[in-house]
């Protein structure tokens, strides 16, 4: 009963919120309920045809986070969005993609809502020590002439308290950051447009273009952290390198960590 609920996103209004130039290069579909917006795109036939396809859902029943975690996706409250993109670049060049997308989203939210988010390596968006969003990039494999990726973005926008109570780690939403309910159509338009522009730029210059912007928002910088693994690596986080690997000053000297999960060791800080 989409038309009866003002809280539900509809495609026409999201498309209207896009700048005309962006509108012409994207195909945007809005669903009421899906398992996972990433899966809707993954199941599409013909990877190259994914390029510029955007799937947004009002609710996800199987929303996925990194490392097999569940992504809390109640109806009509937040932004659950996936974009398909085809890159004519090597797999190596895609290493910093999820970090770059984090920077693109954070910059858009600053411009659109005036909220300054931080970026927690590798893929989390934070506000005041609490997680506000996350990015799940899935590479769909090799193809003649490049690779297609599905970029999933989950943003807590107007999270209902009851739904949020099921999230195991400290979380927040844009409504709390702004102090008022956030218009999700305008937000979706701004974020989708910013990411679409940013991905076109990424195809030219890779993560290098976002490196400085990412480091300005680095949540872990200077903190005492541990990276899970066998063995775990402990040390002080000191930024990311040009490929998006986390730099950690450890007992063994500076190491660059390409993947994993970082937890903050400081008492009172969120991990
Ligand atoms: C994380 O922080 O672990 C990543 C969360 C990514 C969630 C988004 S919501 C839209 C897209 N569909 C999914 O199932 N996951 C991503």
């Amino acid at each position: 009963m989409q038309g009866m609920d003002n809280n539900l996103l509809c495609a026409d209004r999201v498309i209207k919120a896009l700048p005309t130039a962006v509108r012409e290069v994207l195909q945007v579909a809005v669903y009421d309920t899906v398992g996972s917006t990433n899966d809707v795109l993954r199941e599409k036939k013909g990877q190259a045809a994914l390029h510029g396809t955007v799937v947004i859902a009002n609710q996800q029943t199987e929303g996925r986070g990194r490392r097999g975690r569940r992504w809390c996706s109640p109806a009509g409250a937040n932004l659950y969005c996936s974009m398909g993109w085809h890159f004519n670049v090597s797999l190596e060049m895609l290493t910093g993609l999820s970090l770059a997308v984090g920077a693109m989203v954070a910059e858009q939210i600053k411009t659109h809502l005036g909220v300054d988010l931080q970026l927690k390596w590798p893929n989390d968006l934070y506000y005041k020590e609490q997680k506000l969003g996350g990015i799940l990039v899935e590479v769909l494999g090799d193809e003649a002439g490049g690779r297609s990726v599905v970029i999933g973005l989950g943003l807590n926008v107007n999270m209902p308290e009851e739904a949020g109570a099921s999230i195991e780690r400290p979380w927040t939403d844009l409504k709390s950051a702004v102090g008022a309910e956030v218009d999700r159509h305008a937000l979706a338009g701004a974020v989708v447009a910013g990411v679409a522009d940013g991905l076109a730029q990424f195809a030219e210059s890779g993560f290098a273009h976002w490196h400085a912007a990412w480091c300005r928002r680095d949540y872990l910088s200077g903190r005492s952290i541990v990276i899970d693994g066998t063995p775990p690596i402990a040390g002080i986080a000191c930024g990311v390198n040009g490929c998006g690997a986390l730099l950690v000053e450890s007992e063994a000297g500076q190491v660059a960590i390409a993947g994993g999960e970082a937890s903050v060791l400081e008492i009172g800080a969120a991990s």
Side-chain angles (χ1 to χ4, degrees), residues 36-38 60 62-66 71 80-82 124 131 134-136 152-154:
S36 150
T37 52
N38 267 34
Q60 296 185 117
E62 309 283 339
R64 294 189 283 113
R66 288 177 69 236
W71 188 257
Y80 322 116
C81 170
S82 298
D124 293 344
K131 182 158 169 168
I135 291 154
L136 181 67
L153 168 68

Side-chain angles (χ1 to χ4, degrees), residues 105-186:
V105 172
E107 297 282 306
Q108 279 306 114
I109 288 176
K110 172 69 182 164
T111 306
H112 183 67
L113 295 173
V115 173
D116 248 326
L117 298 184
Q118 287 191 292
L119 298 167
K120 177 174 179 270
W121 182 90
N123 294 341
D124 293 344
L125 294 141
Y126 263 58
Y127 184 71
K128 294 194 174 164
E129 305 290 331
Q130 293 164 318
K131 182 158 169 168
L132 188 142
I135 291 154
L136 181 67
V137 170
E138 299 180 303
V139 179
L140 298 189
D142 275 325
E143 265 184 65
R147 274 145 202 91
S148 290
V149 297
V150 171
I151 299 157
L153 168 68
L155 281 180
N156 298 336
V157 184
N158 303 315
M159 178 76 90
E161 279 299 325
E162 330 71 84
S166 70
I167 304 176
E168 279 155 16
R169 296 191 290 174
W171 63 271
T172 190
D173 61 3
L174 285 170
K175 178 178 68 178
S176 312
V178 171
E181 289 258 330
V182 171
D183 175 341
R184 290 184 310 134
H185 286 100

Side-chain angles (χ1 to χ4, degrees), residues 6-14 17 182-190:
N6 288 333
N7 285 330
L8 292 185
L9 290 166
C10 68
D12 287 354
R13 290 180 62 194
V14 173
V182 171
D183 175 341
R184 290 184 310 134
H185 286 100
L187 175 73

Side-chain angles (χ1 to χ4, degrees), residues 178-239:
V178 171
E181 289 258 330
V182 171
D183 175 341
R184 290 184 310 134
H185 286 100
L187 175 73
V191 169
V192 166
V195 174
D197 280 349
L199 293 176
Q201 175 73 53
F202 186 91
E204 300 295 318
S205 44
F207 179 59
H209 183 83
W210 281 275
H211 188 208
W214 200 97
C215 290
R216 273 197 301 278
R217 299 181 180 278
D218 187 352
Y219 167 84
L220 294 177
S221 181
R223 297 192 187 209
S224 181
I225 60 158
V226 62
I227 308 289
D228 65 351
T230 324
I233 297 168
I236 305 294
C238 47

